[in-house]
Amino acid sequence: MSFNFTGKTVVVTGAAQGIGQAIAYAFAKHGASVFVCDIDENLLQETVKKCGGTTQGRQVDVTNQQAVKAFIQEVGSVDILVNCAGGVRGQEGKPIESITVDEWRALFEVNTDSTFWCSQAVAPLMKEKGFGRIINISSGAGLGISLTGIQAYASSKAAQIGLTRQLAHELGPYGITVNSIAPGFVRSNPSSEKQWQKFGEEKQKQILDSIAMRRLGKAEDIANGVLFFASDASSWITGQILSIDGGK
């Protein structure tokens, strides 16, 4: 399957590294005008440099509704939104009784709230055109359990999946599709690499043995799924969650 996004404007959040960077690069490679954002401005410039062409980067805190609105207003008409910002914000798994209010809310802000604010900002523009693609990068943890044991991560990613389904029904009549990708474990950034090393050899082997393909994924594997959801080939697919996890 070949992709051509010439003439399309794409926004990718959380694009400073890892999966987000791979997604931005894939769209740029296939002709799109790409706007990337992240809270880490220095790393984001590496993405802009790698993508080249018409790619532009902005430092944006996507947990801030007003900052998101200002960013989207600057971009203008958006054809494709990829909500990739998210993660564990440095948290590690620990017993439920020790979780603080701030720790719990922090992961909902970055994984769920940001998806809502960004989708909310682009929706009116997409409605006007009668076309749009919103692709949310969730996690296998949102469909099952978190390998790290972080309760708020699993819960916030599950909430993001629920939001995907709800928005698909709300926005479908306007020609807008909303889908989600649930990646398996991908060693794509320092945070995921730290998690992987912390598992230890025995648990690493257990994880690999539970995957049909017997390997971890790459950021490019996730980007390929995003390209499909953004393409005309998926025009009658919405409200769906695609697990890209090597087979579970």
Side-chain angles (χ1 to χ4, degrees):
M1 181 182 293
S2 61
F3 300 106
N4 185 351
F5 295 101
T6 301
K8 299 295 186 185
T9 299
V10 180
V11 168
V12 183
T13 72
Q17 58 186 331
I19 292 173
Q21 184 181 82
I23 292 168
Y25 178 73
F27 276 115
K29 181 180 176 182
H30 289 90
S33 294
V34 183
F35 288 80
V36 293
C37 73
D38 201 285
I39 200 165
D40 191 325
E41 187 174 17
N42 292 330
L43 284 178
L44 188 63
Q45 292 312 309
E46 293 299 316
T47 298
V48 173
K49 184 185 299 184
K50 179 178 180 179
C51 293
T54 59
T55 303
Q56 298 184 50
R58 299 290 186 272
Q59 182 182 32
V60 181
D61 178 359
V62 291
T63 69
N64 183 313
Q65 182 191 29
Q66 296 307 313
V68 168
K69 280 186 175 181
F71 172 53
I72 296 302
Q73 285 174 359
E74 180 185 358
V75 174
S77 182
V78 178
D79 298 294
I80 300 160
L81 167 67
V82 184
N83 287 305
C84 190
V88 299
R89 286 188 155 183
Q91 294 188 31
E92 297 181 357
K94 56 185 183 179
I96 185 172
E97 58 268 24
S98 64
I99 306 299
T100 68
V101 171
D102 287 344
E103 288 171 333
W104 176 262
R105 289 179 176 169
L107 296 196
F108 273 86
E109 286 176 355
V110 74
N111 292 314
T112 313
D113 294 0
S114 68
T115 297
F116 185 82
W117 301 139
C118 292
S119 300
Q120 181 187 60
V122 302
L125 305 170
M126 291 181 174
K127 284 181 177 182
E128 287 180 12
K129 290 191 298 185
F131 174 87
R133 299 280 189 269
I134 298 175
I135 301 133
N136 301 323
I137 307 303
S138 182
S139 169
L143 295 171
I145 61 171
S146 170
L147 292 174
T148 62
I150 302 173
Q151 304 90 339
Y153 182 72
S155 301
S156 60
K157 286 297 188 179
Q160 187 189 46
I161 288 171
L163 178 61
T164 297
R165 294 189 176 110
Q166 189 64 41
L167 291 182
H169 281 268
E170 178 180 348
L171 300 177
Y174 299 94
I176 303 166
T177 66
V178 188
N179 291 291
S180 177
I181 290 176
F185 199 93
V186 178
R187 294 165 67 183
S188 62
N189 56 39
S191 178
S192 59
E193 183 61 31
K194 180 181 177 181
Q195 291 169 3
W196 179 252
Q197 296 304 328
K198 190 173 181 180
F199 287 148
E201 290 186 9
E202 183 176 349
K203 187 168 183 180
Q204 289 173 2
K205 185 178 185 302
Q206 291 175 353
I207 293 171
L208 288 171
D209 287 344
S210 71
I211 300 172
M213 300 297 293
R214 295 298 191 274
R215 73 167 176 88
L216 297 181
K218 298 178 292 185
E220 291 75 16
D221 294 320
I222 312 307
N224 288 336
V226 172
L227 293 181
F228 169 68
F229 274 144
S231 73
D232 291 339
S234 67
S235 62
W236 205 49
I237 301 174
T238 194
Q240 301 304 305
I241 294 82
L242 174 62
S243 293
I244 302 182
D245 56 12
K248 289 287 189 177

